[in-house]
Amino acid sequence: MRDVARGWHADGASIGLVPTMGALHAGHMSLVERARRENDRVVVSVFVNPIQFGAGEDLGAYPRSPERDLSMLRAAGVDAIYKPSVADMYPAGASTRVIVHGVTERLEGAARPGHFEGVATVVTKLFAATSADRAYFGQKDAQQVAVVMRLAADLDIGVEIRVCPIVREADGLALSSRNAYLSPSERRAAVCLSRALGLAVEAYGRGERDPGRLRAILVEAIGAEPLAKLDYAEVVDPATFSTPGSLAVLAVRIGPTRLIDNHDLKLPYPG
Ligand code: PAF
């Protein structure tokens, strides 16, 4: 991968990277399309990164669709698919980890100990392997976006981080590879996340600024769905993930599946 990237740079071509864990959907493809528009060459990495999954999380069950991913990426005209093995990424003896303080400490970081250390480490390695000029991340993982921006700035990596909007189903559910786990009744229940965000946007639009009351609106909307169990609901600053702020973030269990979603309350709600 590094040799290919060096060759492209030697020819004066710019490189866009779309890091993924496969099981691609229209959300990923929106990142690929934007990367295509903004770069001479596009690399999509496909790597289910074991070190960002905690004990008891869904590493073994994580959806995998290698053939479908390949045909979607071919059809989208990407220039390279970087698909390292676990041994390529973490050979015996590898013992370096990238730790981002502050922004990783609450919410997803607290719920999933070690998760952001795993993400920060793999993303740093992907930036190094691909020499990317730009890298594309989905707003759906809002805290991951904040972590990656922090690390790219702090480590002077020289990669520009571009963030693409959440892609939603017609009823508002944010696209996620983990939606594949939902049974039909859970799938119907999962719309409570986007509904809760919509209600918070409406309240913000009416002038509500009290973080406690905005949070209460999110909590009440999730509580109204019998199949949903709230993990967290907060309104935070999008860069630091501390309060106060205007980014409403949610993590909710629908049966055994943990879903996240978010929306900046200053922006109109899509749909
Ligand atoms: O968002 C993801 O799919 C993963 O966290 C990423 C950025 C590909 C790192 O493994």
Side-chain angles (χ1 to χ4, degrees):
M1 184 67 248
R2 190 189 293 273
D3 287 348
V4 169
R6 280 194 181 137
W8 286 341
H9 271 166
D11 293 341
S14 60
I15 303 175
L17 166 69
V18 181
T20 81
M21 299 204 298
L24 301 180
H25 53 63
H28 297 112
M29 299 319 285
S30 74
L31 308 182
V32 172
E33 279 153 30
R34 176 142 176 224
R36 275 247 63 96
R37 287 198 300 276
E38 297 179 352
N39 301 276
D40 300 312
R41 299 281 179 268
V42 172
V43 184
V44 177
S45 62
V46 179
F47 180 64
V48 182
N49 176 33
I51 69 165
Q52 72 183 72
F53 289 79
E57 289 190 16
D58 58 345
L59 173 62
Y62 194 80
R64 287 166 172 84
S65 51
E67 270 114 53
R68 194 165 163 272
D69 292 351
L70 195 63
S71 60
M72 285 167 82
L73 295 175
R74 281 210 176 109
V78 307
D79 298 281
I81 300 168
Y82 178 43
K83 213 174 164 186
S85 67
V86 173
D88 291 331
M89 272 299 194
Y90 306 113
S95 62
T96 302
R97 292 286 186 269
V98 177
I99 298 173
V100 179
H101 294 284
V103 62
T104 56
E105 276 148 29
R106 303 185 57 236
L107 303 173
E108 284 306 282
R112 304 182 65 189
H115 171 66
F116 284 127
E117 186 177 317
V119 170
T121 301
V122 82
V123 160
T124 304
K125 288 171 69 74
L126 293 169
F127 291 161
T130 60
S131 309
D133 298 290
R134 297 181 193 87
Y136 294 79
F137 292 85
Q139 172 62 23
K140 187 58 175 44
D141 295 297
Q143 198 169 359
Q144 169 171 282
V145 164
V147 170
V148 171
M149 284 189 160
R150 189 73 264 158
L151 90 83
D154 290 352
L155 299 180
D156 308 310
I157 291 182
V159 62
E160 213 180 296
I161 307 302
R162 297 266 162 112
V163 184
C164 301
I166 297 176
V167 179
R168 297 182 180 279
E169 302 276 11
D171 66 357
L173 177 66
L175 294 196
S176 162
S177 304
R178 290 190 168 97
N179 293 351
Y181 298 147
L182 300 169
S183 70
S185 59
E186 289 167 350
R187 168 65 189 81
R188 285 191 294 278
V191 82
C192 69
L193 284 89
S194 54
R195 192 184 302 131
L197 293 170
L199 292 170
V201 170
E202 272 174 36
Y204 196 88
R206 289 194 303 271
E208 182 60 83
R209 294 292 182 276
D210 183 282
R213 284 205 286 270
L214 289 167
R215 183 176 180 277
I217 290 167
L218 296 169
V219 171
E220 194 186 325
I222 300 302
E225 170 47 64
L227 293 186
K229 188 170 172 299
L230 183 70
D231 194 341
Y232 62 72
E234 292 245 9
V235 184
V236 297
D237 178 279
T240 61
F241 269 69
S242 57
T243 47
S246 63
L247 184 74
V249 291
L250 279 175
V252 177
R253 280 183 199 281
I254 307 286
T257 307
R258 187 171 179 277
L259 300 177
I260 57 171
D261 200 350
N262 68 86
H263 189 79
D264 192 324
L265 300 180
K266 287 184 182 150
L267 305 176
Y269 195 67

